[in-house]
Structure formats: C-alpha cells, structure tokens
Amino acid sequence: MIGDIYHCKTCGRTVEAVSEGSTDIICCGQPMELQVPNTSSASREKHLPVLEASGSGSIVRVGEVAHVMEAVHWIEWIEIIHADGKKCRKYLNPGDAPEASFTCPPSEIRSVRIFCNLHGVWSINN
C-alpha cells in the first residue's frame, strides 16, 4: 500500500512504497519487514511523537522522555502528514536532538510518524 514502510533486518535499509504493487520487497536476499506503526507497546514514553504548537508552526518531539540519539540507536526521521495527505519529513542523525520543527500549525496536521532504527515506526493521529 502506498506509504507503507519496509525495513531490512540484515542491513538496516528502510524503504517506503510510493506506488501500488507487490508487497514482496526483497533486500539482502530476504523479504523486508512491513513496519506496522506502533502506538502502545513498551517504551512508548520514549517513542511516541509529541506534537506541539510553536509560534505559527509546530514542533514534534520524540517521546515524553527524550529518545536517545546514539550511533547504534536513534530516530532516523520525523514526518508529518497534512490534512490533505501531503507529507513533510525531516531526517536526523546520531547526536541531533530528537525533534523537528515544521512551518504548519498542529491544526493542519492529520498524523505524525517517526522511525527508530531499532524499534520501527511509531505514530499518532492528531
């Protein structure tokens, strides 16, 4: 399905489906794992996105308790999905703060997704 995220457990590559087609996506000789957005398992206080107003825009922080941003465990990206379906994604690196600013207010955001390199996709609906 368009927008689905797939992850390779062998090399760590992550891909997003941008058109309809087969869900048999292969990497490193193995099927990639579909990342079903997590919203409620353990460590939710460190993974669920927190959306807040910031001036005329928004800021998304990862976790009520800031997520670690180490070379072996970090948030790779934060994405907002607008009410009209358009997406805006900010990529992060180890050592960065686990947050991103966006120019649109929370009222224009339908949902937020983040990707943790070890724990997959986490999302909230606004």
Side-chain angles (χ1 to χ4, degrees):
M1 187 160 154
I2 294 173
D4 283 349
I5 303 292
Y6 293 85
H7 184 70
C8 177
K9 286 187 172 186
T10 304
C11 72
R13 177 174 285 132
T14 304
V15 299
E16 179 176 4
V18 296
S19 62
E20 295 296 338
S22 173
T23 57
D24 297 329
I25 301 172
I26 306 297
C27 186
C28 298
Q30 299 292 323
M32 294 182 86
E33 184 177 278
L34 173 64
Q35 299 293 291
V36 176
N38 198 338
T39 60
S40 62
S41 76
S43 298
R44 71 181 270 136
E45 73 279 354
K46 293 183 181 175
H47 288 97
L48 274 182
V50 177
L51 175 64
E52 302 171 358
S54 177
S56 62
S58 303
I59 188 165
V60 176
R61 291 183 174 83
V62 180
E64 293 173 10
V65 175
H67 191 282
V68 298
M69 295 295 285
E70 301 169 347
V72 296
H73 186 193
W74 79 98
I75 300 303
E76 291 189 19
W77 48 260
I78 298 171
E79 174 183 73
I80 59 169
I81 302 171
H82 294 261
D84 64 5
K86 292 179 183 172
K87 298 176 183 181
C88 184
R89 185 179 291 168
K90 304 261 176 122
Y91 291 90
L92 305 174
N93 294 301
D96 291 346
E99 62 185 44
S101 296
F102 298 91
T103 58
C104 63
S107 62
E108 295 178 12
I109 297 172
R110 181 176 68 203
S111 60
V112 179
R113 295 195 300 183
I114 65 101
F115 184 78
C116 171
N117 73 312
L118 294 183
H119 301 109
V121 175
W122 291 73
S123 69
I124 59 166
N125 291 323
N126 189 23

